[in-house]
Amino acid sequence: MTDNHTDCIPGPLDQMPARLETLLHIEKVGKEFPMNDGSTFVALKDFSLEIQNIKDKPQIVSLLGPSGSGKTTALRIIAGLDKPTSGCVLITNGEGQHLRPVRVGDVGVVFQRYPLFEDLNVLHNLIDPAVRSGMNKDEAKEKALRLLDEFDLVKQGLAWPLQLSGGQRQRVAILQQLMLDRHFIILDEPFSGLDPVNILNVIKLISNIAHQHTLNTFLIITHDVTSALIISDHLYLLGRERDKQGEPIQGSKVMKVYDLIAEGLAYRSDVEDLPRFVEIRKEIRLVEFPKL
């Protein structure tokens, strides 16, 4: 990048960064589903979240919660794939643009199974969707070849998805979103089923991609506490309130927010060695998670 306004500063920051314009605003979102017995299941209730542009840095936010806490429902609403029953999701897709209701296509989504077009080779898995979205074919091919080179997938360019490893499929699925210059990308359980070495590789990959532009905003849906703490600048715990008997009340919401920049944990390669990292991880696992 040659435009200093969009460049990211690598490594830890010397001081608290400025918080600029709001990039994503979710206000009191509710989502209800009718059941076959005539009742209503409340998946989300008063779900609110805001992501601001961090000066000189990208935004990497994790939405953390156990199974059944409404993470997938939240993902689909944030991406514009489902409409909320109540509330709103507002987004801006560029500097100086006003917030507006999210539309399908504003947010790229890399689903957990990394679905690819099985009848297309890797190169055309990048080119064809981009062309269908309006990109010039020659421009799409040039960009696809550049991305394959940048992410060490040149040798797999003519391979079929069936021939790829899980890590390679994941990278191709992420590159599909990068082809369209989307600044917002949701990653659905990107650490699931990976061994510790590959988890660190994925963390490094996400961080490297995010740091290509200060407007890049990655929202990670996960239940992996350690990985979320390593990579995120903010961490939101999604869960349900309890009644007097301790039973969960229908409708998940953000129960707690960790500002990892203020905690001195964001952008640190040695973050796992810091006492505060260990304290927060223990707090989430032993105190917060059981309540969600």
Side-chain angles (χ1 to χ4, degrees), residues 132-197:
R132 284 198 293 270
S133 296
M135 185 180 289
N136 175 273
K137 187 173 182 179
D138 290 336
E139 180 186 350
K141 183 176 182 179
E142 180 182 350
K143 185 169 185 178
L145 291 172
R146 177 173 57 80
L147 288 173
L148 290 175
D149 181 48
E150 187 174 344
F151 292 96
D152 197 26
L153 287 168
V154 171
K155 292 182 180 179
Q156 286 74 35
L158 298 180
W160 302 100
L162 189 64
Q163 298 172 300
L164 302 178
S165 68
Q168 290 168 342
R169 285 185 71 100
Q170 184 183 50
R171 274 183 282 165
V172 174
I174 293 173
L175 294 188
Q176 281 182 329
Q177 306 305 321
L178 296 182
M179 285 290 295
L180 300 176
D181 288 328
R182 288 188 174 119
H183 286 306
F184 278 90
I185 296 180
I186 298 177
L187 298 174
D188 181 23
E189 297 285 0
F191 316 114
S192 179
L194 299 180
D195 60 62
V197 172

Side-chain angles (χ1 to χ4, degrees), residues 175-233:
L175 294 188
Q176 281 182 329
Q177 306 305 321
L178 296 182
M179 285 290 295
L180 300 176
D181 288 328
R182 288 188 174 119
H183 286 306
F184 278 90
I185 296 180
I186 298 177
L187 298 174
D188 181 23
E189 297 285 0
F191 316 114
S192 179
L194 299 180
D195 60 62
V197 172
N198 278 316
I199 286 176
L200 290 177
N201 288 338
V202 171
I203 288 173
K204 183 178 179 181
L205 173 68
I206 295 171
S207 180
N208 287 344
I209 295 173
H211 275 80
Q212 291 179 355
H213 197 292
T214 59
L215 289 180
N216 283 348
T217 303
F218 279 60
L219 180 57
I220 298 172
I221 310 294
T222 185
H223 62 271
D224 186 329
V225 178
T226 298
S227 299
L229 283 171
I230 291 173
I231 195 171
S232 305
D233 54 71

Side-chain angles (χ1 to χ4, degrees), residues 51-88:
I51 299 177
Q52 291 178 296
N53 184 12
I54 300 170
K55 182 175 172 58
D56 298 325
K57 283 293 186 180
Q59 295 63 235
I60 305 178
V61 173
S62 287
L63 189 60
L64 187 67
S67 298
S69 60
K71 298 191 301 296
T72 299
T73 302
L75 177 159
R76 295 187 61 83
I77 290 175
I78 294 170
L81 301 176
D82 286 339
K83 296 290 185 182
T85 306
S86 59
C88 63

Side-chain angles (χ1 to χ4, degrees), residues 117 120 124-135 176 180:
F117 298 103
L120 298 177
H124 281 278
N125 258 280
L126 301 184
I127 294 174
D128 289 21
V131 171
R132 284 198 293 270
S133 296
M135 185 180 289
Q176 281 182 329
L180 300 176

